[in-house]
Amino acid sequence: VERATSMKGVQPVLANILIESINNSTLKFTATDLDLTVVAKIDAQVKEEGKITLPAKKLSDIVSKVSEGLVEFKTDDEENKMNIKCKNAKFEILSIPAEQFPQVSEEENLETVEIDIKPFNKAVKQASFAAASYETNNILAGVVCKIENSVLEMASTDGNRLARVREKIENNVEIEQLVIPSKTLQEFSKMSSFIDEETVKISFEKSKLYLKTEKITLISRLMEGNYPKYNQLIPTESPKEAIVSVQQLISSLERVAIMVNEKTSNVKFMFTEDKLTLSADTPDSGASEDSFDIDYKGEDLLIAFNYKYVLDSLRNLETSEVKIGLNSALSATVLRPNNEEDYICLIMPLHIQN
Amino acid sequence: VERATSMKGVQPVLANILIESINNSTLKFTATDLDLTVVAKIDAQVKEEGKITLPAKKLSDIVSKVSEGLVEFKTDDEENKMNIKCKNAKFEILSIPAEQFPQVSEEENLETVEIDIKPFNKAVKQASFAAASYETNNILAGVVCKIENSVLEMASTDGNRLARVREKIENNVEIEQLVIPSKTLQEFSKMSSFIDEETVKISFEKSKLYLKTEKITLISRLMEGNYPKYNQLIPTESPKEAIVSVQQLISSLERVAIMVNEKTSNVKFMFTEDKLTLSADTPDSGASEDSFDIDYKGEDLLIAFNYKYVLDSLRNLETSEVKIGLNSALSATVLRPNNEEDYICLIMPLHIQN
């Protein structure tokens, strides 16, 4: 749960973890930055009921430095101090009373959709990187998530690029479009792959989302507002198509990027018959160029991209070849795994610099 | 040579590497931050003699991103541009004329002492960490180096701790006391272990040192002034002695340090019969304690150290047990590898806090 703590210090208690006994064999850990809340339960021998908050950083330092074995937590009601003991090592940490921790409401009686965690996390990885960076009121910082006809669809766009993934799922469930902060999805993905769980239960109310596995619960706000109709932005056909080795394109981009203008990240792509030539230049520093064989039969085309967007897409493809769908130097360009239709990235070109 | 470049930008040419042809099969690379100069020679096919300076960072980026194979450098005298080519990858970098690069004088007709590089680098590792951090005019930022009766001695002290190492060497050579900037020695040690060489040739004139191997030369200033008579500071006897597992002491220090006062780094060591108890505390945060078995028969002793100094020494010992020589809570404490007399670390205790 440490990842949900907030160190910004407006409320010192948000840097702490709330620890509560919920019965004589379970402890509940809660952390929140007010946008995202994470709850985890662990087995414990509870000798006496109680709750307290402790600094997350100190607690995780202790856990990483003590040797294997039982850790004993013991508190003295009057002093607001927690005594932690593991073999010969003893710690005394100042706590903040549980009453100062924000109220976390767990969901009740909400409809729940349960799906496999594997396609869910794969979709998160492939769709969430294209979202805008997080700002509370920007709906483009969210990732669209919906389930229809046994297909989970996730998509995001920051206006310059777009990623959309569709994953078949087994259950016959439906979710109308939700817009989930990308941070929530990425944190969930990290935590759930770490604890190795099978399914996730999704439930939501007006502006709140619950992602629940056997051991953890994430509670997040949902983004509100109208998300752009992104499916309309994806071209149905590309007049020109190139098949390119993903690894070769990544290496070549990294090479050429040595001389890229850091203000624009502009790399020029020159497609000619069965050949791709990349080039970049920065005034007062120099220029670079590289070329390699591809499969391309269309007309010659010169087009420029922010090379970082291209790298982001390539690194999420999970295939050895990418199919690049081109139209003109000003049209949205489509990248997708060769021989696969479920995943698509769209990148808007930059203006060619002279 | 990149490590000797200076990015501070007072003289832009110091961020560059001077590349010169010295005959038709050798190129010489030189970089300097004016305190330290590094020269390296490599094999090359020199088609036409010349010299130029190129930005070190760009050059090393290029080398790390191009594939194996010959790299071609070609320059156009008039334009101050270097063309670099490796297979299909081409780069054009703006250069600075070699004339703007500071003059580097190579040594001539100096007496040279040649010794094995292995004991030299071991001594650097074990002795240089205790030097004060680098300031041009602080002699304690230097490491003492001398050779007498086939023993190489290196030592450094920052006033709070001291490290002295003596290594037997095979050659019958002598060097009177030199004070070498610790940075020079550490850089030499890194570079020479990287290129795997056998011996180092040491020569010097009034305020200049030359460390030369087959492939590289380091030219450094020497520190001037009177270095403290450090051998007088080392106690000849310790009335109390403890034998402690290095690994256990490191783990225990790391554990207890979680609650250390970050301003003082003060950790208390309580030596009692066959037991060491470490403790730390920070006001407004908490306290920690840990203990483990050691071999100690002296009177009980409570003494405090900056735990970072203790960790630095322990990590350089290269043995599994440390012998700690104690006297009083105010006396310099001696750490040395158990059953070995060649290496010694001295740490001044801190005042015990109540």
Side-chain angles (χ1 to χ4, degrees):
Chain A
V1 307
E2 188 189 0
R3 299 185 61 93
T5 54
S6 166
M7 293 298 179
K8 283 178 204 139
V10 194
Q11 289 185 48
V13 77
L14 297 184
N16 281 21
I17 295 172
L18 173 64
I19 303 179
E20 300 166 276
S21 60
I22 55 172
N23 58 42
N24 63 8
S25 64
T26 315
L27 284 182
K28 185 169 125 182
F29 286 63
T30 307
T32 184
D33 64 6
L34 298 180
D35 269 351
L36 176 66
T37 302
V38 181
V39 181
K41 287 170 191 169
I42 59 163
D43 293 337
Q45 299 161 15
V46 178
K47 300 268 170 77
E48 202 178 331
E49 301 275 315
K51 54 184 179 175
I52 198 166
T53 84
L54 294 176
K57 179 74 175 61
K58 292 285 177 205
L59 211 51
S60 79
D61 282 351
I62 290 174
V63 171
S64 71
K65 295 294 181 194
V66 295
S67 35
E68 293 282 310
L70 281 180
V71 182
E72 186 184 301
F73 289 78
K74 200 171 171 178
T75 182
D76 189 332
D77 282 347
E78 286 162 41
E79 287 201 60
N80 273 333
K81 274 180 191 164
M82 175 65 90
N83 289 292
I84 302 174
K85 208 173 138 182
C86 182
K87 290 187 183 155
N88 290 334
K90 292 175 205 158
F91 302 89
E92 190 182 273
I93 317 187
L94 290 192
S95 59
I96 299 177
E99 289 67 35
Q100 293 185 29
F101 200 83
Q103 207 72 36
V104 173
S105 63
E106 293 224 20
E107 92 285 16
E108 274 169 41
N109 305 321
L110 291 176
E111 212 180 313
T112 294
V113 166
E114 183 165 8
I115 63 169
D116 282 348
I117 222 163
K118 227 175 128 180
F120 186 83
N121 280 347
K122 190 181 172 203
V124 169
K125 176 176 181 285
Q126 292 195 315
S128 63
F129 74 91
S133 47
Y134 189 70
E135 282 171 64
T136 314
N137 294 316
N138 182 6
I139 194 155
L140 295 185
V143 176
V144 171
C145 174
K146 59 186 169 192
I147 301 179
E148 217 173 31
N149 305 323
S150 296
V151 172
L152 165 70
E153 176 168 308
M154 284 199 198
S156 69
T157 177
D158 63 4
N160 297 307
R161 54 180 170 166
L162 181 156
R164 187 195 69 195
V165 61
R166 288 173 173 161
E167 286 285 326
K168 290 207 176 59
I169 55 169
E170 285 174 17
N171 320 38
N172 188 15
V173 294
E174 302 241 328
I175 289 184
E176 261 191 285
Q177 180 165 309
L178 299 176
V179 186
I180 306 171
S182 64
K183 194 192 157 201
T184 299
L185 290 173
Q186 283 164 352
E187 291 296 342
F188 175 79
S189 177
K190 269 178 210 151
M191 290 177 198
S192 59
S193 56
F194 179 70
I195 52 176
D196 199 29
E197 301 207 71
E198 292 283 316
T199 62
V200 52
K201 285 180 189 154
I202 306 169
S203 55
F204 52 94
E205 45 198 3
K206 195 177 169 310
S207 62
K208 230 179 206 173
L209 172 77
Y210 301 87
L211 296 173
K212 205 164 181 173
T213 70
E214 212 183 301
K215 289 181 194 140
I216 58 167
T217 304
L218 262 78
I219 306 165
S220 161
R221 68 186 201 86
L222 285 168
M223 314 288 288
E224 289 171 278
N226 291 319
Y227 199 88
K229 295 204 165 56
Y230 58 90
N231 279 323
Q232 296 177 357
L233 304 172
I234 301 172
T236 44
E237 286 198 346
S238 299
K240 310 181 185 73
E241 261 183 5
I243 313 284
V244 181
S245 151
V246 170
Q247 201 41 61
Q248 247 180 344
L249 182 48
I250 290 177
S251 306
S252 191
L253 275 172
E254 288 176 339
R255 229 171 274 157
V256 169
I258 294 168
M259 291 296 168
V260 84
N261 186 332
E262 281 172 26
K263 283 188 200 130
T264 62
S265 299
N266 188 317
V267 170
K268 278 178 246 180
F269 286 60
M270 180 71 202
F271 291 89
T272 51
E273 196 184 333
D274 289 340
K275 192 174 162 186
L276 174 58
T277 304
L278 306 179
S279 60
D281 57 88
T282 311
D284 306 329
S285 176
S288 56
E289 188 188 297
D290 195 24
S291 62
F292 55 98
D293 294 341
I294 61 170
D295 180 354
Y296 180 73
K297 306 295 175 204
E299 284 167 38
D300 291 1
L301 177 69
L302 178 64
I303 186 168
F305 297 105
N306 178 329
Y307 80 97
K308 291 178 183 167
Y309 291 170
V310 181
L311 282 179
D312 283 347
S313 300
L314 294 174
R315 289 183 178 131
N316 280 302
L317 282 184
E318 302 187 346
T319 52
S320 62
E321 287 185 325
V322 55
K323 190 192 281 182
I324 304 179
L326 298 151
N327 187 348
S328 77
L330 299 171
S331 324
T333 294
V334 174
L335 280 75
R336 63 173 92 206
N338 194 18
N339 303 320
E340 208 190 294
E341 299 299 307
D342 295 339
Y343 183 42
I344 199 167
C345 294
L346 202 81
I347 305 179
M348 290 305 297
L350 299 173
H351 286 285
I352 304 286
Q353 295 171 317
N354 291 313
Chain B
V1 308
E2 188 190 1
R3 300 186 60 93
T5 53
S6 166
M7 292 298 178
K8 284 178 202 137
V10 193
Q11 289 185 47
V13 77
L14 297 185
N16 280 22
I17 294 171
L18 172 66
I19 303 179
E20 300 167 276
S21 61
I22 55 174
N23 58 45
N24 63 10
S25 64
T26 314
L27 283 184
K28 183 168 125 180
F29 286 64
T30 307
T32 184
D33 63 6
L34 299 180
D35 269 351
L36 177 67
T37 302
V38 182
V39 180
K41 287 169 189 167
I42 58 164
D43 293 338
Q45 298 162 16
V46 178
K47 301 267 170 77
E48 201 178 330
E49 301 276 316
K51 54 184 178 175
I52 197 165
T53 83
L54 294 176
K57 178 72 176 58
K58 292 285 179 209
L59 210 52
S60 78
D61 281 351
I62 289 174
V63 171
S64 71
K65 294 293 180 194
V66 295
S67 34
E68 294 283 310
L70 281 181
V71 183
E72 186 184 302
F73 289 78
K74 199 171 172 181
T75 181
D76 190 330
D77 283 346
E78 287 163 42
E79 287 201 58
N80 273 333
K81 273 182 195 167
M82 174 65 89
N83 289 291
I84 301 174
K85 208 173 138 181
C86 181
K87 292 189 184 154
N88 291 335
K90 291 175 205 160
F91 303 88
E92 190 182 272
I93 318 187
L94 289 192
S95 60
I96 300 178
E99 289 66 35
Q100 294 185 28
F101 200 84
Q103 206 75 33
V104 173
S105 63
E106 293 223 22
E107 91 286 16
E108 274 170 42
N109 304 323
L110 291 176
E111 212 180 311
T112 293
V113 167
E114 182 164 10
I115 62 170
D116 281 349
I117 223 164
K118 227 175 128 180
F120 186 83
N121 281 347
K122 191 182 171 202
V124 170
K125 177 177 180 287
Q126 293 196 312
S128 64
F129 74 91
S133 47
Y134 189 69
E135 283 170 65
T136 314
N137 294 317
N138 181 7
I139 193 153
L140 296 184
V143 176
V144 170
C145 174
K146 60 185 170 193
I147 301 178
E148 217 173 30
N149 304 323
S150 295
V151 172
L152 165 68
E153 177 170 308
M154 284 198 197
S156 68
T157 176
D158 62 5
N160 297 308
R161 55 180 172 166
L162 181 156
R164 186 196 69 194
V165 61
R166 288 173 173 160
E167 286 284 326
K168 292 207 175 59
I169 56 170
E170 286 174 18
N171 321 36
N172 187 16
V173 294
E174 301 240 329
I175 288 184
E176 261 189 287
Q177 179 166 307
L178 300 175
V179 186
I180 305 171
S182 64
K183 193 192 159 201
T184 300
L185 291 174
Q186 284 163 353
E187 292 295 344
F188 175 78
S189 179
K190 268 179 212 150
M191 289 177 198
S192 59
S193 57
F194 180 69
I195 54 176
D196 198 28
E197 301 209 71
E198 293 282 314
T199 62
V200 52
K201 285 179 189 157
I202 306 169
S203 56
F204 52 94
E205 47 197 2
K206 193 177 169 312
S207 61
K208 231 182 205 168
L209 171 79
Y210 302 87
L211 295 174
K212 205 166 180 171
T213 69
E214 212 182 302
K215 289 181 194 140
I216 58 167
T217 304
L218 261 77
I219 306 164
S220 162
R221 66 185 201 88
L222 285 168
M223 313 289 287
E224 288 172 278
N226 291 319
Y227 199 87
K229 295 199 165 58
Y230 57 91
N231 279 323
Q232 297 177 356
L233 303 173
I234 301 172
T236 45
E237 285 198 347
S238 298
K240 309 180 184 72
E241 262 185 6
I243 312 287
V244 180
S245 151
V246 170
Q247 202 40 62
Q248 248 180 342
L249 182 49
I250 290 176
S251 306
S252 192
L253 275 172
E254 288 176 340
R255 230 171 275 160
V256 168
I258 294 167
M259 290 297 167
V260 84
N261 185 333
E262 281 172 25
K263 284 186 199 130
T264 62
S265 300
N266 188 316
V267 170
K268 278 178 247 177
F269 286 59
M270 179 72 202
F271 290 89
T272 52
E273 196 183 332
D274 288 342
K275 192 174 161 184
L276 175 56
T277 304
L278 306 178
S279 60
D281 56 88
T282 312
D284 306 330
S285 177
S288 55
E289 188 190 295
D290 196 22
S291 64
F292 56 98
D293 294 341
I294 62 170
D295 181 353
Y296 180 71
K297 306 294 177 205
E299 284 166 38
D300 290 1
L301 178 69
L302 179 65
I303 188 169
F305 297 106
N306 179 329
Y307 81 97
K308 290 178 183 166
Y309 292 169
V310 180
L311 282 178
D312 282 348
S313 300
L314 294 173
R315 288 183 178 132
N316 280 302
L317 283 184
E318 301 187 349
T319 52
S320 61
E321 288 186 324
V322 56
K323 189 193 280 182
I324 305 180
L326 298 152
N327 187 348
S328 76
L330 300 171
S331 324
T333 295
V334 175
L335 279 74
R336 62 173 94 207
N338 194 19
N339 304 321
E340 208 190 292
E341 299 299 305
D342 295 340
Y343 182 41
I344 199 166
C345 295
L346 202 79
I347 305 180
M348 289 305 296
L350 300 174
H351 286 284
I352 303 286
Q353 293 172 318
N354 290 314

